[in-house]
Amino acid sequence: MLWFLLRRTFLGALVLWLITMGVFALFFVTPNNVARSLAGRQATPETIQLVEARLGLDQPIWKQYLDFVRNALHGDLGYDYYHQQPVTEIIVAALPITVSLAVGAAVLWMLLGVTNGVISAVRSGSFADRALTTFALFFYSMPTFLLGLLLLYFLYFQLTLSGYPFFPPGGYVPFTDDPYEWTRHMVLPWVTLALVLAATYTRLTRGSMLDVLGEDYIRTARSKGLRESRVVVVHGLRSALTPVVTQFGIDLGQLVGGVVVTETVFSMPGLGKTAIDAINRQDLPVILGIVLFASAAVVVANILVDLAYAMLDPRVRLH
Amino acid sequence: MTDPPPTEVHDEPSAAPEHESRREPAITARSPWVLAGRRLLRDRVAIVCLVVIVLIVLLAVFAPLVASITGHGPNQQYRDTGLSPDGLPRAPSGEFWLGTDSLGRDILVRIAYGARISLLVGVVATALTVTIGVVVGLAAGYLGGVVDTILARVIDVVLSVPFLLVAIALVSIFGAGLLNTVLVIGAFSWASMARIVRGQVLSLREREFVEAARSMGASSARIMFVDILPNVLAQVIVYTTLLIPVVIVVQATLSFLGLGLPAPTADWGGMISEAQNYYTTSWWFVLFPGLALLATTLAFNLFGDGVRDAFDPRAEGLTRGWKG
Amino acid sequence: MRKVNVGSCLTRLHDLSAGSVVFDGRDITTLSRRQLRPVRRDIQMIFQDPYGSLNPRRRVGSIIGDPFAIHRSGARSTRKAQVQELMERVGLNPEHYNRFPAEFSGGQRQRIGVARALALNPRVLVCDEPVSALDVSIQAQIINLLVDLQAEFGLTLVFISHDLSVIRHVSDRVAVMYLGRIVETGRVQQLYELPRHPYTRALLSALPVADPDLADSQSGIVLTGDVPSPVFPPSGCRFHTRCPRAEQDCVQSEPVLAPVLDDLPDHETACHHPLAVGELLSDSQPSIADTQIQNRTDSGRKSR
């Protein structure tokens, strides 16, 4: 167990290190005109040089990289180019938004996806199965931004026009400021994200549930005279959930690193939106910081998934 | 001690070829592909989807025809006829069948031209993704050892990359364009395919027919591509059809985020992005490009589902990090 | 762990941990893949599992044509004719050229394997349990086919099997293996009639006998105990843990293959306490199933 954690942490660190190398190479080696745009239109070459020196851009690439890694190991991801704000602070400020979005949506899509998947599997081939599968595939095919816009059009615009201004057009209110407003602002983004992602879970749950329900021990449980609901939920679902948990960890890990499209559509200043803005401004330290954080989220999620695997399925040995 | 088993036992058809060919005059070589194809043809939903896909392809191919029928160029701005006096887009009418956009351009013609981009990127980027994924998966799975260790690690790295963020960043650095979009999508989405293929190959390479090929002196390359590849091809085809809509969505998403093709080229994601600020006044502006996009992805997904049912391999999540 | 056996070592599908393979006076144990290619033409293999050894996604014609393609032998244009000739030769309908392996029965599939192995006119054919996966009624056909082809093509067959009747039928020389070691080898007649090694004796006693009068006198000898792990074989004579004749020296030193007493020089036995002529093993209750399982690596050999 300890050996497993050590090994995975080491491999995770290796992955992150490779990612920093890649990102660094791509962003810092390619020519950019950050200094020029920062210095203003009328800047003399001297001013530009001065700005470059202040940002450390005049150093050789390898030195910039070493400095970055050394600082990153001390928990310092540098400062943004425009306001000299520490990147860690920017991430910390944006993280709650992304996390509340991701976690809230996760609860929704798990409820939706797993329930639909179980119903589809138990009533396999029925009308309900077909309807649910089609429903899932419909939203699976839906581009996130399109669904977001549709929800905004009907549930914000049309509802507001008809005199029910329940849903706001976007934005974010911290939970600590006003829990009610927070919820009000989160509902549409949650639903958007959950609907788009639930399909994968419906399919996954349906597939593995069908496999599990065909197993001998399910027949044994039935022949013991257990209620069907108990057979399905207690005996079936537990083993059927393993692939679902894997996918859940991967998705949540990806989302915590930034929910780019949803945040953009609903103008929520989470990690994804912050990253997009930073990319548009070529604010390299912010981009690098967020990419690194997002990758770390994925790596950690993968380790957690393997641990969860071992707990759900006693046959899995960690190595 | 028993006697050797009796010598002439004619219970196998092959022992008497001439009899057998009489009994079974037409020798049909029904390959697994033909069988899968037949199953697919019996799937009504899949056929409908195939028809939709063909229609969209025709729309893309004959986009200039659409332009000449309506008499509107894809990038032509009709400021007088295409915009209301307040400068707002016009609703669908006899002149503009699907309405106009904020610059007074014909939405129908732009959708037709946009189909070219979506399909082109969808097919080319998918082809690139699948090629890289299959080659890496085959090499990692069959060659094993150091090659596998390194490739497996690379797959891990690519799967851990926050795809959309990095794709956006790369496109913003190298500039938006068809080629860059295809390259970025290809470079970061092959890993799932490689992992699937590798898993398959790991079990296939233990099979005796691989051993047989080795005993005949076949090279590694020959074994990988002639002996093993046909056995993973069913899965590859299924995932390819399911990957195309995903790639189309990614391309549209990049365009939506402002990293599509440079203006004024028409593409669906970009059109929807432009329509964002007009959805309160001009529903057609966002609806029709959105419908085109949705119809395409839905048709491909349902068709892909049919293909999978026809081949019936297990399904796994291919969607890591595409959404959000 | 992968099952590595004599057959796959002889054909260099697996590397040897010890010993050497000499073919035609040439040591091929350490040849590289490239150097091995010409040798592969001469040593071909027939596999145990006719279902696993044919690629399910390729047509029979292309499977049998593989050796030609790999060794760039013959023109592409004549390949189909060559393949169909081979199919005819092994008793397959040449019109089935475009079929897939799944459309054939087990015996037909094994014929396909034989045709493929014969494509390049090899000199040695290693048959790794070629009939053990087939129905008994089909086994005879395949064995007779192999025997016929042996005569026709002047082949040397290395026939690996645990079926003692089959071995007796096809072999000239037999080598009996236990836990990866040859314990006894000799001409088929001598070995079957005068087994020297207690293990060989036990094996032969497990054979069903057609004559009921004889059956009584030759009651089966049951080996007790489990087969030791081939990864950690016992010390000394590997058979000592289960041998009714084992003594202290069997635990300590490993016997070498050598002729016993007045045996012919090519009848060699690796045993400290070989059986005398006609001597029976002291035994307990018969159980054929037990011995069957234990004899996976027994081998028979036949050469012209």
Side-chain angles (χ1 to χ4, degrees):
Chain A
M1 177 72 181
L2 185 69
W3 174 236
F4 165 81
L5 276 180
L6 279 176
R7 202 182 100 92
R8 290 300 302 262
T9 312
F10 170 75
L11 286 179
L14 185 73
V15 166
L16 289 183
W17 174 63
L18 289 173
I19 288 176
T20 59
M21 292 253 281
V23 174
F24 214 86
L26 286 170
F27 286 79
F28 286 76
V29 173
T30 51
N32 64 71
N33 47 8
V34 181
R36 186 176 301 274
S37 58
L38 264 184
R41 202 165 283 172
Q42 274 97 40
T44 57
E46 288 76 32
T47 331
I48 292 176
Q49 265 178 14
L50 214 66
V51 173
E52 277 190 340
R54 187 166 58 84
L55 299 177
L57 291 172
D58 54 342
Q59 305 277 346
I61 264 294
W62 59 268
K63 190 163 184 317
Q64 289 185 47
Y65 179 70
L66 285 184
D67 286 346
F68 170 80
V69 170
R70 197 175 47 236
N71 290 335
L73 288 176
H74 291 96
D76 173 11
L77 292 173
Y79 300 84
D80 88 296
Y81 283 164
Y82 295 84
H83 311 289
Q84 297 300 307
Q85 202 187 350
V87 172
T88 41
E89 267 181 31
I90 295 178
I91 292 180
V92 167
L95 190 59
I97 302 172
T98 303
V99 167
S100 29
L101 181 50
V103 172
V107 172
L108 266 183
W109 89 57
M110 280 301 266
L111 281 176
L112 204 64
V114 173
T115 316
N116 288 354
V118 170
I119 295 174
S120 278
V122 172
R123 304 244 174 284
S124 158
S126 69
F127 174 76
D129 177 22
R130 289 182 149 237
L132 287 175
T133 314
T134 313
F135 169 84
L137 208 66
F138 178 78
F139 284 106
Y140 174 78
S141 304
M142 183 82 93
T144 316
F145 61 92
L146 190 60
L147 182 60
L149 286 179
L150 287 178
L151 289 182
L152 274 181
Y153 178 73
F154 288 109
L155 295 182
Y156 153 67
F157 179 65
Q158 291 295 348
L159 263 192
T160 309
L161 270 189
S162 340
Y164 302 100
F166 182 72
F167 295 110
Y172 177 78
V173 176
F175 182 78
T176 43
D177 287 10
D178 186 345
Y180 172 72
E181 280 295 316
W182 176 79
T183 316
R184 212 166 77 90
H185 281 81
M186 294 306 295
V187 172
L188 288 185
W190 279 343
V191 170
T192 307
L193 205 51
L195 280 179
V196 165
L197 281 160
T200 315
Y201 292 83
T202 305
R203 271 188 189 188
L204 222 52
T205 312
R206 182 177 182 274
S208 71
M209 199 68 188
L210 279 176
D211 285 349
V212 170
L213 289 181
E215 298 271 351
D216 283 345
Y217 69 86
I218 291 292
R219 209 170 41 196
T220 311
R222 283 198 179 122
S223 63
K224 278 197 301 188
L226 291 184
R227 263 180 296 120
E228 184 64 18
S229 59
R230 197 177 154 78
V231 172
V232 170
V233 175
V234 177
H235 293 260
L237 197 56
R238 188 190 155 99
S239 1
L241 273 183
T242 327
V244 178
V245 166
T246 313
Q247 183 72 25
F248 180 76
I250 290 164
D251 279 344
L252 200 61
Q254 289 268 4
L255 289 182
V256 166
V259 196
V260 181
V261 181
T262 314
E263 286 174 9
T264 309
V265 172
F266 291 98
S267 338
M268 308 171 80
L271 280 175
K273 182 91 167 59
T274 309
I276 295 281
D277 293 344
I279 286 167
N280 288 333
R281 289 198 311 257
Q282 292 202 327
D283 201 341
L284 302 183
V286 181
I287 303 173
L288 194 55
I290 294 182
V291 169
L292 189 59
F293 176 81
S295 314
V298 175
V299 168
V300 171
N302 279 336
I303 298 178
L304 291 180
V305 162
D306 286 347
L307 285 177
Y309 233 82
M311 285 173 196
L312 273 175
D313 188 345
R315 287 169 305 183
V316 175
R317 286 244 198 89
L318 301 173
H319 55 82
Chain B
M1 214 68 67
T2 50
D3 281 320
T7 29
E8 297 300 316
V9 183
H10 279 285
D11 69 343
E12 277 200 289
S14 65
E18 55 288 320
H19 293 299
E20 207 209 348
S21 44
R22 214 175 302 142
R23 205 172 53 218
E24 220 183 296
I27 296 169
T28 47
R30 238 177 284 149
S31 79
W33 310 114
V34 175
L35 291 176
R38 287 193 182 173
R39 276 195 291 270
L40 194 59
L41 285 178
R42 253 178 271 134
D43 184 344
R44 238 174 292 151
V45 179
I47 294 305
V48 171
C49 290
L50 190 60
V51 170
V52 172
I53 293 170
V54 169
L55 286 179
I56 294 166
V57 171
L58 290 178
L59 184 68
V61 171
F62 294 107
L65 196 66
V66 177
S68 69
I69 288 173
T70 56
H72 302 139
N75 302 322
Q76 188 71 43
Q77 302 178 3
Y78 300 92
R79 292 179 183 262
D80 309 322
T81 52
L83 291 175
S84 72
D86 327 336
L88 285 174
R90 286 246 188 232
S93 64
E95 170 77 15
F96 298 99
W97 296 354
L98 299 183
T100 63
D101 70 4
S102 52
L103 294 174
R105 295 175 293 195
D106 189 327
I107 288 181
L108 172 63
V109 179
R110 285 180 70 75
I111 286 178
Y113 276 88
R116 298 183 148 196
I117 306 293
S118 282
L119 292 178
L120 192 67
V121 173
V123 170
V124 176
T126 301
L128 182 65
T129 302
V130 170
T131 310
I132 303 175
V134 166
V135 171
V136 171
L138 277 176
Y142 181 70
L143 299 176
V146 187
V147 180
D148 185 33
T149 311
I150 292 173
L151 289 180
R153 200 56 49 221
V154 174
I155 291 174
D156 278 353
V157 171
V158 174
L159 285 178
S160 304
V161 166
F163 168 75
L164 213 48
L165 278 182
V166 172
I168 293 162
L170 285 177
V171 172
S172 80
I173 293 173
F174 293 109
L178 220 47
L179 184 65
N180 285 349
T181 307
V182 167
L183 289 181
V184 165
I185 293 175
F188 287 96
S189 44
W190 54 268
S192 300
M193 177 67 86
R195 182 173 270 191
I196 291 163
V197 172
R198 175 177 173 270
Q200 295 278 320
V201 174
L202 280 182
S203 66
L204 281 170
R205 75 162 182 196
E206 303 294 329
R207 297 273 292 273
E208 245 181 3
F209 67 79
V210 172
E211 202 131 279
R214 285 206 294 136
S215 82
M216 283 181 283
S219 64
S220 294
R222 186 182 162 87
I223 292 176
M224 277 171 7
F225 290 99
V226 178
D227 289 301
I228 294 182
L229 185 58
N231 287 281
V232 295
L233 217 51
Q235 268 89 341
V236 170
I237 287 174
V238 170
Y239 287 116
T240 304
T241 46
L242 291 173
L243 198 60
I244 291 177
V246 173
V247 169
I248 290 178
V249 168
V250 170
Q251 192 272 330
T253 303
L254 286 177
S255 288
F256 176 79
L257 294 170
L259 296 158
L261 301 170
T265 315
D267 85 292
W268 295 345
M271 291 172 76
I272 295 168
S273 171
E274 289 162 18
Q276 254 189 112
N277 304 319
Y278 293 87
Y279 71 84
T280 51
T281 54
S282 322
W283 53 268
W284 58 90
F285 191 5
V286 65
L287 183 71
F288 291 122
L291 273 183
L293 184 54
L294 184 58
T296 310
T297 55
L298 195 57
F300 270 111
N301 274 325
L302 282 170
F303 182 68
D305 241 28
V307 173
R308 182 186 29 207
D309 286 347
F311 285 109
D312 198 33
R314 294 287 222 76
E316 270 176 62
L318 246 194
T319 57
R320 294 157 204 266
W322 295 104
K323 303 277 172 172
Chain C
M1 211 183 125
R2 295 179 68 158
K3 186 186 127 202
V4 177
N5 57 30
V6 181
S8 57
C9 287
L10 287 179
T11 48
R12 279 292 315 280
L13 279 176
H14 296 286
D15 286 329
L16 280 68
S17 50
S20 63
V21 181
V22 179
F23 174 70
D24 220 8
R26 184 171 172 216
D27 189 341
I28 61 165
T29 322
T30 51
L31 293 188
S32 69
R33 291 181 68 112
R34 198 169 299 263
Q35 293 169 309
L36 214 50
R37 271 177 70 98
V39 181
R40 293 223 186 271
R41 296 184 66 137
D42 287 333
I43 308 178
Q44 287 288 322
M45 190 159 178
I46 293 172
F47 292 85
Q48 175 178 11
D49 178 6
Y51 294 88
S53 59
L54 302 179
N55 195 328
R57 293 286 185 194
R58 295 180 57 199
R59 289 170 196 278
V60 168
S62 115
I63 291 176
I64 300 177
D66 244 5
F68 298 121
I70 292 167
H71 291 278
R72 300 199 178 77
S73 161
R76 230 167 239 263
S77 50
T78 60
R79 192 163 297 158
K80 184 171 178 184
Q82 281 178 300
V83 169
Q84 289 188 325
E85 201 185 307
L86 276 168
M87 290 176 76
E88 190 113 47
R89 185 61 208 84
V90 299
L92 289 167
N93 184 346
E95 288 175 45
H96 294 174
Y97 184 85
N98 272 328
R99 289 197 173 187
F100 284 87
E103 296 171 79
F104 294 86
S105 69
Q108 287 174 310
R109 282 160 175 252
Q110 203 58 305
R111 288 174 195 266
I112 296 169
V114 174
R116 170 171 65 181
L118 288 179
L120 295 173
N121 283 321
R123 293 161 61 194
V124 177
L125 203 51
V126 178
C127 310
D128 182 3
E129 304 238 20
V131 294
S132 65
L134 302 176
D135 285 352
V136 179
S137 58
I138 316 267
Q139 290 189 357
Q141 297 179 17
I142 299 295
I143 287 166
N144 288 329
L145 174 69
L146 288 172
V147 172
D148 289 351
L149 292 170
Q150 182 202 13
E152 184 179 335
F153 289 87
L155 290 167
T156 299
L157 297 187
V158 179
F159 196 93
I160 302 164
S161 175
H162 63 271
D163 187 331
L164 296 165
S165 315
V166 168
I167 291 171
R168 180 163 211 183
H169 178 57
V170 300
S171 303
D172 295 329
R173 286 189 61 207
V174 179
V176 179
M177 291 184 78
Y178 179 78
L179 282 184
R181 288 290 152 91
I182 295 178
V183 293
E184 186 167 0
T185 169
R187 301 208 157 266
V188 67
Q189 192 79 10
Q190 297 162 7
L191 193 126
Y192 272 66
E193 277 167 19
L194 286 178
R196 289 292 189 182
H197 200 281
Y199 179 64
T200 315
R201 182 74 194 80
L203 278 185
L204 293 175
S205 77
L207 268 174
V209 179
D211 184 345
D213 297 336
L214 267 175
D216 258 6
S217 68
Q218 273 201 336
S219 66
I221 298 156
V222 175
L223 297 174
T224 50
D226 295 327
V227 186
S229 157
V231 185
F232 304 104
S235 64
C237 174
R238 293 186 175 199
F239 190 51
H240 82 253
T241 52
R242 304 170 64 218
C243 181
R245 296 167 71 89
E247 287 175 30
Q248 198 51 42
D249 51 346
C250 299
V251 184
Q252 281 153 0
S253 73
E254 189 169 357
V256 289
L257 271 176
V260 177
L261 301 170
D262 50 352
D263 278 350
L264 292 170
D266 59 357
H267 185 180
E268 295 183 313
T269 309
C271 185
H272 292 309
H273 309 285
L275 295 155
V277 175
E279 187 182 356
L280 292 178
L281 278 178
S282 55
D283 54 18
S284 41
Q285 280 148 3
S287 157
I288 294 164
D290 203 25
T291 26
Q292 286 290 338
I293 299 166
Q294 294 147 9
N295 304 334
R296 293 206 55 83
T297 48
D298 301 357
S299 84
R301 221 169 231 269
K302 172 156 187 162
S303 62
R304 260 176 92 84

